[in-house]
Amino acid sequence: MGGLDAARFTGRDEILALVDATLADSVMASVLLVHGNGGVGKSALLRAVARRASDAGRTVWALDARTIGGDLAELEHRLADAFDRPAPVVLLDALEHAPALERAMRERIIPGLGVGAVVVLAGRDRPERGWLAGGWEHVARVLPLEPLSRPETRRLLAHHGIVDADQVARITEWSRGLPLAVTVAATAGASGADDHTDLDALIVHHLVDHSLTHLDRRVLEVAAVAVAVAVDGPLLGEVLSDLRDTEPHAALRATTIAESLGDRVALHDTVRQVLRRQLRERAPARHRTLVCRVADHLRNRILDGESELLIELADLIDDPVLRWGMVGDRSRYHVDRVRDGDVAEIDAALAAQTWWASDRRFFHDAPDTVVVARDRAGAIAGFSIAVTPDRAPAWSGDDVVLDAWLSDARIRVPDGDVILWRRECDLETMRDPTTGSTVTAVLNEAVVRTCGLANPRWFYGDVDRTNEAMVQLSTAMGAVHVPDADIVTGRRTTSLHVLDHGAGGFVATVHAMVHQSLGLPAPAPEPPSLTEVVDHVLRSFDDDDALASSPLAQGTERAARAESVRGAVRDATVRAFGQGERDALLRSVLERGYLDPAANHAAAARALHLSRATYFRRLRDARSRLVREFEAGATTTI
């Protein structure tokens, strides 16, 4: 495939001569900034540069911004080896999908590369003005990519076997020198190219219906509905399990309308958009089926450890209410860590907000709990402060909100599987409510991905009642207000809303939202585990309705069912703990914390002369002991 790509590449002689001269210089670092419209041949040019660099003995790192998004840490990770290699060649394509990477390359990546490094950046937008100042103007060259000339178009068509003068003339006129259009027309045969003024129509009419008959159309459909970036062999193999073609991924890679992104393949944007739109309009049932299958596949891979695919699963959500807070515009914002000057910038933006004073400490003393969102220019667009019980600062007890929320979480979430959003601030919306900011979604995704929990189940956070979109999303997801945990500071009330994603965790919720946005019922939730059943019973020990609906309940009448659960728990408590000092303490903690009529954790800790941390640790141990007793006694089948 690489040889065919090289054979068909034509034109760009002046640019390639500059590339050759740049590669021959092992002393000066050079940056080439390629920009041009979609279909003008930027990706093909970068592939040609990669071939020439390899032939010159250089080591090449070829990246695509679509597979990185705005994650600067991921960019640094992928280029980690380049920093230690002499004269590396770094190619970064599709910058329009993650503009923040351009600034990161200038400020953080290129200065760390070795002598003689060559960096080529390609995107649709003109390069940032920062390349024209601060010394960068001496090493950077801006290379606008123009359409092919008529002679270059004829040469490209000849590579495709089209030499008939009339046919060449028609395609040359129709394609306007865009290499993608030339290739599409050549692949389609283009006998009627002069009758088409719409590239979309030509793609669908010729490529799909005629020229790509060797490729199962369902492969193209799956590649079109997998919205985020690309598809790979495992996805196609599972979604199209009955496909006769044993290597649909390779077949798709070999077409002229797709490009390779490492082990994955992406349809050209224009092709993907056309196919997806037509599938939704002409075969809505099939569209829904394929989206659900793709969602199932992504969910399973995420649960197997590929957490980066969570973004792609969320991208399948169509409903705007559900997308808010879930799917951000990563071409507009990117996430970053706390940097020098951030506090001063936020000070200026939030000078009138009294609550900001309590947040500053996190930036100074616990920066690992902070995620910052920046716009294309690097200005702060918002920030999030989030912790888990295991990663909360040692001084969390000094923070009135975190102190209250962590206390509740230690009771409600015994295994610590919870993210507590101490603050989420969208500065863009505060400045201009009409801006259409997706900062919240970008921050949410980053927090979930970096929290250290594989698939978090519980979310704690405040809901701004003045933010209609936030209220709608919170309601749609089933968050529950806990009034007893509300914190009043001055004129501001911080309300605690708790969202339990259930046994399937956050991944199951996103998966269900994909179904919901298609107008389909959510998949059946996983049945609760015995641990979850026992935890729920203990927290609801004085609630007849909750106990009567428990799988542990026996009988028919509500009161009798509730009492049967209480009896089963008390009997199991007697059996679970022996007469030793430690067992006696664990039993006392369990009874005073849950089973006594006036159960109260704070009072129980004081009565037992235990610190709060020790009390909750013993409470978790006691609950675990009780669950094991139920398991050993086979009291119930869940």
Side-chain angles (χ1 to χ4, degrees), residues 518-591:
L518 293 169
L520 301 173
E526 294 291 328
S529 66
L530 181 57
T531 297
E532 292 170 326
V533 170
V534 172
D535 285 344
H536 179 69
V537 164
L538 291 174
R539 291 195 301 269
S540 311
F541 207 67
D542 61 348
D543 185 338
D544 280 7
D545 289 335
L547 296 187
S549 62
S550 169
L552 296 176
Q554 298 180 3
T556 56
E557 298 296 327
R558 183 181 68 91
R561 288 175 61 82
E563 195 55 40
S564 73
V565 174
R566 293 189 183 98
V569 171
R570 291 192 179 99
D571 290 345
T573 301
V574 171
R575 297 192 304 271
F577 303 102
Q579 300 302 312
E581 182 177 347
R582 176 179 171 78
D583 275 26
L585 176 60
L586 292 180
R587 177 172 175 174
S588 295
V589 167
L590 187 70
E591 291 176 339

Side-chain angles (χ1 to χ4, degrees), residues 225-227 291 294-295 298 312-318 323 514 517:
V225 301
V227 180
V291 170
V294 171
L298 293 175
E312 301 187 22
L313 178 62
D315 258 342
L316 294 172
I317 300 171
D318 272 343
R323 284 181 71 88
V514 174
S517 69

Side-chain angles (χ1 to χ4, degrees), residues 268-287:
H268 188 280
D269 283 348
T270 303
V271 179
R272 182 182 61 78
Q273 291 168 10
V274 173
L275 291 176
R276 184 165 181 256
R277 184 178 65 247
Q278 289 215 340
L279 181 63
R280 294 179 68 171
E281 293 174 351
R282 297 180 180 180
R286 174 149 185 78
H287 171 259

